[in-house]
Structures are given as structure tokens and as C-alpha cells.
Amino acid sequence: MDAPAPAYPWLKSYPSSVKWDQAFEPKPLYHNIDQAVQRFPDRPALDFLDKKYSYAELGRLIARAAKGLQKIGVKKGTKVGLFLPNTPHFVICYYAVLKAGGTVVNYSPLYSEPEIRHQIEDSDTDVMVTLGLQVLYPKIKAMLGTSRLKTIVVGGIQDSLPFPKNLLYPIAKRKDQAQVAWDDRHVRFKDLIKNDGAYQPVPIDPKEDIAVLQYTGGTTGSPKGAMLTHYNLWANTEQARAWFPTANEGHERMMGVLPFFHVFAMTSVMNCGIRIGAEIIMLPRFELEAVMQIIPKKRPTIFHGVPTMYVAISGHKNAGTTDMTSIQGCISGGAPLPVEVKQKFEKATGGTLVEGYGLTESSPIACCNPLEGTNKAGSIGLPVPATKIVITDREDPHKILPFGERGELCIEGPQVMKGYWKNPEATSKTLMDGRLHTGDVALIDQDGYVFIVDRMKDMIAVGGFKVFPRNVEERIYEHKAVEECTVIGVPDDYQGESVKAFVKLRAGMTATEKEILDSIRGQLGKHELPREIEFRAQLPKTMIGKLSKKELVEEERKKYAEKKKAKAGA
């Protein structure tokens, strides 16, 4: 990267303990675990429901799984799917696939069979790792003979539990266990790792070889496989590490409730946790009551999450009496972090919660507010080391705008993907002039802080005026009774679109549409005020727990179409 120029306004605000213009030597991503095993062999690496694995033990299991994968045919470039929640199987198989020379393809356990089949065919997945649970295994078994999938590796939750839970689990959870059709297309995880761990090392070109195919809706359109190279993910792990200059390597405890199959947790929790030799406290999923018991008991020091998690924790009935003071640093991602949510969580824990930003296509971290230094309300912070943020004209993507002007946020850096798998057309629309075009509207202020104004696709056109949902949501969140809020554009015969807000109220609190509108009137333009506020007990969320707009948009479109049809028939 070129030497930093004074034209980069973020340099004046950069944390003194973090160097922006550093370079990251390309390495295979599995160097991450090798380094941790060498440095912290006796330190705990994973804590899964009270069973702990040391880094030395984790390293041995990964080597054995790598040899086992090679024995069943995994070689350079073989695509291996992980259809797993957060369990030790995920961490072991993730790094084992990389050591065997293969490419990891992450699958959400929430996928339907058609979604799984499409991704198997599109990604060329030949091997799938899953658990023998009723909620998981039958979906993958259905792929045998109906897709290119050839082999299923099946593990059991009980294999990862401490005594006596490992004996009691199959009995207590008998109804949750799937009947596995053991044949030559199935491999027991226990058999996969039953070897000496002497796998055959595979030469890796970090800048060219794909470590992970991570599927995403992309900046536009249907799901596509982002090709994340070893170097993309290694560099982003190093960037995340650099952003935590005070991390006490070998002594941190990382809360692992974000799903590892999602790129945010994969890098910021799993890969970065291993990079600093942290103990990763794993839960299969986020369950509020369990988390509230674990925090004072296991005392995590780092807790990365999404805003809805922090809302739930700080709003819990016992938040004021639960000791959460061990939590020191947290990065919120996946969705905008309302200022009120940040303040309440920091008050409850005494730690620092900062908003970061990234995309699947950038491995994902691109910007973050500093953990030490100025945090600007509503900002996604500063570019992480070795990263440039460029604002381009929305009408002319090749034209770079001056700092301070609004345009499309673009990213340059070692974490930017190689492209979309088997999709050169989508790649050419997203990667232009060496930059990743995000589809987000943003500006960079005079201090170098980046502000997302909104998603280009989420902007609402009200009678020729542009309305940014985030701006409306921030104002509504200021009402004390509002716990969650989502704003969308709905069809309007007169204005084209109008603004509609969906609100979930805090437990035990009430508010009317008029009360909320009165509280925001005067803070927003007339065209920005919601035409309607709908109260709901729950708002739709994505697989990682961030609020989702697409279901609400689809509902409103259907209602509008039905209304038009009824009117035409009258």
C-alpha cells in the first residue's frame, strides 16, 4: 500500500496505539491456529457447555480431522460444507478443511431444503459436516441422490459434553436425535478423527486459494458465493487484532453466541479469538436467560454481538443486579447501533461498546469506532488498518467525491474478496477500479469518521424527496417505551411511497401512535414522518438476530396488491 497521504482525514483521529499504514504478510489462514497452539498450548481454547478444550488438544483434533478428510477424498479445492451451530465440531472441521487443502462452504442451519440444494449445486459441495439432530440431519440426508453431495460426516452433541452430561444427553434428548442411515455415504465424526493426525500438507497460495465460500445476497440480487481467500481472512483477522491493542493475549475470554457460520462471528469471534489465544465461551445459539447466567459465572471480557442482543441484555429484569463488569470491549455489527442502546449497555457493564461495519465481501470488517478515543454517535468509525474508504458518485461509480459529500461507500484493502463464485457479471458490478462497491450511502466527515446515511436499496422516495430509514429509526428509538424499530417505504398512490414504522415496545410499557409521532415531530421533515406506526409483539430478524426489513416490505406489497385488486373489482 502507498504511504499515507495527508488527504486521508482519518489519520488525524487514528488511535495512537494503532498504525493505519501497516502491511500484513500473506499467510494461509490455518497459520492462525498453528500459532495459537505453539504459543498457548495449555490455555483453554473452547468452553462448550462446561467442557473445555486446550489449544494443544484443539490442534490435535484439527490435525486428525484433516487426515480423516483427506482419507475420504478431500484435496486441493474440494468444497466441504459446514451445516452446524456453534459447537466444537465447527471450529475443528473449519480449520481441518483448510489444512486438507479444501474450501469451507458455510450453510445456515435455518436453511430450507431448496436453499441447501441450490447452494450445494452452485458451490460444488461434495462433503457436508452436520450433527445427528432431528432439526439438522434429515435436511442433509435428503440431498443424497438429489444433488451432487457425496458424503455426510455426522457428529453428536454428546461427543462435546463433559461427564456425566455426555451420558445423560442422548437419554434426556432422545426425541431430538435423528435416525442416521449409516452406510458408505456416511462417516461418523468419531471415526473421522480416529487416526494419528499425520495429514499430508497441501501447498497454499494465500492470495489466490479460496479458504471460504461465504454466501450472501451481496450488494444486490440473489445469494452469491463470495470467494474469500486465505489472505482475505488472514488479513482481516490481523486487522481485527490490531484494533484491540490492549488485548491481553492468552488471557481474554470471548463470548461466542453469534453464529460462526456467519461472516461476522467467523472473523471477529472465532478467528480473532484464536488469534489472541482467547478462551471462546461457546453457546449453540443466543438464549438470553442462559447468557445472563453465564456472564457472572464465566466472566467474558469481550462480547461481540448485534444490537438486538445488547437491547435484550441491558433490558433484562436482572440487568441491574447481575455482575457484568468483566465485559471490557464489544463490537456491534450487522445493523446500526442506536445511541441509546450503546449507552444503556455500557452503563450496565462498565465496558466499551462500539459500532463497526463490514460486508461478507470484505471478510467482513472495514470500519470501526476506536475502543480508546472518540466515538462519534451514529458513526461506523474509522477505516481499520490498511483500508481506504472512498466515496463515489451514485450516478457515476468511477467518480470519486470529495470528503464530506454523500455518495456510495467503497472499500479498498487486503480483506476485499476475490470475487463472486462463478458469477463474473455480478463481480464486475461490485468490484470496480480496485474497489468494493457496497451499495451503502455514506459520507466521511472532516475528522475521517464514516457515517452510513442508508442503504441505497432501502431509501424511500416520498413525492420526489429521499427519506433515509435510519434517520427516522434513530428518532423513534429516543422514545423511552420503544425497544425495537424498523422503518420501510410502502406503496402510496399519491406520493409513490410513504414512510411506515414497525415498533416493538418494552415489556410493561405502553405508547400510542400519536405519542410517538408527537415525540419526533419537529426533529424530522414532514415527508419523513411515518404515515403509520404498527405495533408488534415481535419484529422479523435475520439468522444472526439483526432486524430484517424484507419480510415487512413483502407483506406491505401483498396488502397493496390485494387492495388494488379489490378496488378494481368493485
Side-chain angles (χ1 to χ4, degrees):
M1 174 170 290
D2 297 336
Y8 302 147
W10 51 81
L11 294 179
K12 70 176 79 169
S13 305
Y14 228 65
S16 59
S17 53
V18 182
K19 186 180 178 184
W20 174 73
D21 60 338
Q22 57 188 293
F24 301 107
E25 180 187 352
K27 292 181 183 294
L29 181 56
Y30 56 71
H31 182 71
N32 199 32
I33 185 66
D34 291 345
Q35 180 177 260
V37 169
Q38 183 179 3
R39 296 178 65 202
F40 313 109
D42 300 324
R43 297 291 301 171
L46 306 177
D47 176 342
F48 180 70
L49 303 178
D50 297 328
K51 180 171 181 178
K52 296 194 178 188
Y53 297 75
S54 70
Y55 271 98
E57 184 180 4
L58 180 59
R60 286 192 294 270
L61 288 169
I62 290 168
R64 290 174 183 171
K67 181 168 183 176
L69 288 169
Q70 288 180 333
K71 285 174 69 175
I72 63 172
V74 174
K75 54 184 183 296
K76 184 77 173 277
T78 300
K79 309 302 185 301
V80 181
L82 302 184
F83 191 66
L84 296 164
N86 286 8
T87 69
H89 305 85
F90 190 103
V91 183
I92 292 164
C93 289
Y94 178 92
Y95 281 103
V97 171
L98 301 181
K99 286 190 169 236
T103 295
V104 171
V105 185
N106 282 320
Y107 287 75
S108 166
L110 301 179
Y111 280 171
S112 65
E113 286 186 22
E115 290 172 314
I116 295 167
R117 186 173 288 107
H118 168 77
Q119 189 165 311
I120 286 172
E121 294 301 317
D122 188 74
S123 65
D124 299 337
T125 296
D126 289 331
V127 178
M128 188 77 75
V129 184
T130 191
L131 299 177
L133 298 176
Q134 194 61 40
V135 295
L136 297 175
Y137 171 73
K139 293 182 183 178
I140 301 305
K141 180 179 180 292
M143 299 300 113
L144 290 175
T146 64
S147 74
R148 67 172 288 142
L149 188 69
K150 299 176 178 62
T151 306
I152 306 176
V153 177
V154 185
I157 287 281
Q158 63 272 19
D159 303 334
S160 302
L161 296 175
F163 178 84
K165 288 182 181 178
N166 60 335
L167 301 179
L168 298 174
Y169 180 85
I171 300 170
K173 301 289 186 178
R174 185 180 293 115
K175 69 180 188 304
D176 298 332
Q177 306 299 301
Q179 291 297 314
V180 179
W182 296 112
D183 57 25
D184 58 1
R185 299 176 299 177
H186 289 73
V187 177
R188 288 179 171 83
F189 180 77
K190 289 192 292 187
D191 293 335
L192 186 82
I193 60 174
K194 195 180 293 183
N195 59 66
D196 60 8
Y199 68 93
Q200 186 64 44
V202 178
I204 294 294
D205 182 339
K207 287 192 172 183
E208 292 298 325
D209 291 338
I210 304 164
V212 175
L213 270 184
Q214 188 74 25
Y215 274 74
T216 172
T219 54
T220 58
S222 59
K224 298 177 284 290
M227 296 186 287
L228 303 179
T229 67
H230 282 259
Y231 182 49
N232 290 152
L233 291 164
W234 166 258
N236 206 227
T237 300
E238 289 295 294
Q239 289 167 321
R241 167 65 188 96
W243 207 246
F244 271 78
T246 59
N248 188 0
E249 296 192 357
H251 296 279
E252 301 289 355
R253 292 179 297 280
M254 178 87 77
M255 199 72 191
V257 291
L258 283 168
F260 291 171
F261 59 79
H262 189 275
V263 69
F264 179 28
M266 180 180 71
T267 293
S268 66
V269 179
M270 185 178 72
N271 287 340
C272 191
I274 289 171
R275 167 64 180 83
I276 62 174
E279 177 181 350
I280 302 175
I281 304 164
M282 301 173 65
L283 284 178
R285 60 185 178 274
F286 178 79
E287 293 180 323
L288 179 59
E289 295 304 324
V291 168
M292 293 302 290
Q293 292 176 27
I294 284 172
I295 291 174
K297 178 183 176 184
K298 302 195 174 181
R299 300 190 62 77
T301 57
I302 301 172
F303 191 158
H304 299 328
V306 293
T308 51
M309 291 180 180
Y310 301 122
V311 168
I313 291 168
S314 56
H316 190 273
K317 60 184 179 181
N318 296 330
T321 56
T322 301
D323 183 2
M324 298 188 283
T325 56
S326 64
I327 298 173
Q328 299 168 13
C330 312
I331 294 177
S332 175
L337 176 68
V339 176
E340 184 199 2
V341 174
K342 169 183 166 66
Q343 292 172 343
K344 286 193 70 174
F345 187 80
E346 289 182 334
K347 183 178 179 181
T349 63
T352 301
L353 171 60
V354 300
E355 182 172 356
Y357 169 85
L359 295 87
T360 298
E361 293 87 344
S362 59
S363 303
I365 307 166
C367 290
C368 196
N369 273 281
L371 286 150
E372 294 183 353
T374 301
N375 272 230
K376 290 200 175 185
S379 169
I380 58 170
L382 308 167
V384 295
T387 302
K388 294 179 186 176
I389 298 299
V390 175
I391 306 298
T392 62
D393 190 288
R394 279 174 277 173
E395 304 300 322
D396 180 1
H398 303 288
K399 180 182 178 183
I400 297 176
L401 298 178
F403 296 115
E405 291 193 22
R406 294 183 177 189
E408 184 176 8
L409 189 157
C410 299
I411 303 166
E412 296 179 21
Q415 71 271 52
V416 171
M417 69 171 182
K418 186 176 181 178
Y420 291 120
W421 173 251
K422 296 194 296 190
N423 200 332
E425 183 180 352
T427 299
S428 65
K429 291 178 180 177
T430 304
L431 298 180
M432 288 183 276
D433 305 324
R435 294 186 285 269
L436 170 63
H437 286 250
T438 66
D440 287 326
V441 183
L443 63 83
I444 303 174
D445 73 6
Q446 70 277 6
D447 297 320
Y449 282 78
V450 184
F451 290 80
I452 298 288
V453 179
D454 229 305
R455 289 282 290 169
M456 282 160 71
K457 69 176 184 179
D458 290 341
M459 254 190 306
I460 306 169
V462 180
F465 294 95
K466 298 294 185 186
V467 175
F468 299 107
R470 177 170 179 165
N471 191 37
V472 183
E473 290 162 356
E474 287 281 0
R475 301 290 78 76
I476 293 175
Y477 266 115
E478 291 172 1
H479 193 287
K480 64 182 181 180
V482 174
E483 180 173 304
E484 295 176 350
C485 171
T486 297
V487 169
I488 66 169
V490 298
D492 185 293
D493 288 335
Y494 177 64
Q495 299 181 110
E497 285 186 298
S498 60
V499 179
K500 181 172 181 177
F502 295 82
V503 168
K504 176 187 175 184
L505 296 175
R506 296 187 185 281
M509 301 189 77
T510 60
T512 65
E513 181 180 62
K514 182 178 184 301
E515 287 170 347
I516 292 178
L517 286 173
D518 286 347
S519 74
I520 63 176
R521 210 181 303 275
Q523 300 183 68
L524 297 171
K526 186 178 180 181
H527 62 289
E528 294 176 296
L529 287 172
R531 183 69 69 86
E532 180 185 358
I533 297 177
E534 181 176 324
F535 296 95
R536 294 197 175 187
Q538 298 294 333
L539 297 181
K541 294 183 175 68
T542 68
M543 58 189 173
I544 64 165
K546 71 178 182 180
L547 292 169
S548 178
K549 298 179 188 287
K550 66 179 182 180
E551 294 86 356
L552 299 172
V553 169
E554 186 61 29
E555 282 180 32
E556 292 298 323
R557 284 177 180 166
K558 284 182 179 178
K559 283 166 56 177
Y560 178 75
E562 289 169 2
K563 188 186 297 183
K564 294 282 282 186
K565 186 178 179 180
K567 189 176 180 180

